[in-house]
Every structure is written in structure tokens, then in C-alpha cells.
Amino acid sequence: MSTIGSDSVVGVLPTGADVVIGTDGGIEVNKPVEEAKFDVTGDTEFTGKAVKDSEVVVKGKQGETTTVTVEDKFKETDIRNRGKGALEVEFSGGNFTKGKITSSKSKSSDSISFQGKSTINRGSIKVGKGNDSITFAKGTKYKGKTTIDLGKGGKDSVVVENNKVKGGNLVITNFTKKDTITIGGETFTFKDIKNGAELPGVKVELR
């Protein structure tokens, strides 16, 4: 193993890894890397090849927002907010397969979005006590079952810009009276779902 880094990112990498961390915190993966760990305290962007079976741990300061952008494939790779600041995760066309995104236990308001032609494949998302948001843009592709745990507390929102989820499905748990889900521009509340509103490709478990 070897350690490389910048002021805002420290990477612990397996022998033979070809990863470059720029002074601006950008992470360039020149060939697929496995079993790596990245400790992040500032904004960073993953570009290049796939990251597999790895971990990204965000340790932002209270009152600050740390942005993690992924342009390529994350497979069985977890992103965890372990700081007191807010986390913003954006997949800008990359694939997220069998990985987990976990919010902080603090009341930070985290944001997770899948933009462009991103694919989410059997992923898992768990948010914390803050007012968190999860967005799936129109170009998002779905495979298998993805679970979203809205946790305890906070006024959370899930937005699916398409009129339905197809190709896979979303299962949302811990949905409370404070939370909302928007599909194709139509917003549904706890009451709507309790009264039997149909959400194509989405299953919601009320708390």
C-alpha cells in the first residue's frame, strides 16, 4: 500500500495503482483501482477509470459543504459522510453499482444527485437528521432494486424527474409526514401514499 494526497484528499492505494491527486483535490484514475481509501476534507472529482471495492470518507467541517463528483464507474464503493459538514454527491454520467452512500449523523443537509446518463444499479442510500435531498435526473437509468432510507428526523425530498422509474425500482423506507416524493413534476405526501397513490416503479414504506 502507498499513501498520496493533497491538502484536501489523502488516498491509501494498493501497490501498482495509477492514481493522481491534483493540488485542487481532483482525483484522476488512470487505470481501474480496487481496495483504495480516500479521506476527503474538501471538494473533489473522480475522473478516468473505475473505482471498485473502495471507500470515500468525507470529513468536512461544520458549516461547510463538501462536494464529491463522480464521472465514471463506482462499483461496490461506498461514500460516507463522517464529518459535521454537509455532503453533496453528484454522479455526472457515471455508474453506481452495489455501493452505499451514507449521510452524516449530524443535522447537516446533504444532497445526492444522479445527472446526465448516470446509472444506479442495486445501490443503497441512507440519509441522516438533516433536510436531505435525492434527485434522479431524466437521463438516469435504473437496474435492480435500489433502497433509500430516509432515516429519522429532517424534511427529506426525493425527486424523480421522469414520469416513472423503469428498468429497475426504488424502495423508500422511513417515509414520514415531513417528507415528499416528486415524480414527473407531481409531488406526493405521506397522506397521498397512505391513501393509495400509485408511484410507478417506486415502493414507499411509511413510518
Side-chain angles (χ1 to χ4, degrees):
M1 304 294 285
S2 61
T3 301
I4 62 173
S6 67
D7 291 342
S8 59
V9 179
V10 175
V12 180
L13 308 172
T15 301
D18 188 355
V19 176
V20 177
I21 297 178
T23 55
D24 61 352
I27 300 172
E28 184 177 355
V29 183
N30 293 313
K31 70 177 184 180
V33 64
E34 298 185 35
E35 298 182 351
K37 181 181 179 183
F38 300 92
D39 288 329
V40 177
T41 56
D43 295 349
T44 191
E45 181 176 15
F46 286 84
T47 61
K49 303 298 183 180
V51 178
K52 303 177 182 179
D53 192 21
S54 297
E55 185 177 25
V56 179
V57 180
V58 177
K59 300 178 179 179
K61 296 180 180 178
Q62 188 171 0
E64 296 181 354
T65 298
T66 302
T67 301
V68 176
T69 304
V70 180
E71 288 192 354
D72 208 276
K73 297 177 181 178
F74 263 31
K75 183 176 182 180
E76 297 180 347
T77 292
D78 300 340
I79 302 173
R80 296 187 172 94
N81 188 0
R82 291 293 180 261
K84 295 184 178 180
L87 169 65
E88 181 177 291
V89 177
E90 180 179 319
F91 282 82
S92 58
N95 293 0
F96 184 57
T97 302
K98 294 184 180 180
K100 298 178 182 179
I101 301 173
T102 308
S103 283
S104 169
K105 293 181 179 179
S106 72
K107 292 185 178 180
S108 64
S109 295
D110 296 333
S111 171
I112 300 159
S113 65
F114 294 83
Q115 302 293 331
K117 295 183 178 180
S118 300
T119 298
I120 183 164
N121 183 352
R122 292 168 287 174
S124 173
I125 299 170
K126 183 175 182 179
V127 298
K129 298 177 181 178
N131 300 327
D132 305 304
S133 65
I134 304 164
T135 302
F136 301 93
K138 283 189 175 181
T140 305
K141 296 180 180 180
Y142 307 87
K143 294 183 179 180
K145 180 176 76 173
T146 289
T147 60
I148 300 172
D149 183 349
L150 297 181
K152 297 180 180 180
K155 185 177 180 180
D156 304 320
S157 67
V158 178
V159 176
V160 177
E161 293 185 356
N162 282 319
N163 293 327
K164 60 182 178 181
V165 172
K166 60 181 181 179
N169 55 76
L170 300 179
V171 176
I172 301 172
T173 64
N174 282 316
F175 192 96
T176 72
K177 294 179 180 179
K178 295 181 180 180
D179 304 326
T180 60
I181 178 169
T182 301
I183 300 179
E186 184 175 1
T187 298
F188 300 89
T189 64
F190 183 99
K191 184 178 179 180
D192 294 328
I193 296 166
K194 188 174 182 179
N195 288 340
E198 292 187 12
L199 311 178
V202 181
K203 178 182 178 182
V204 179
E205 297 178 8
L206 304 176
R207 179 164 66 85

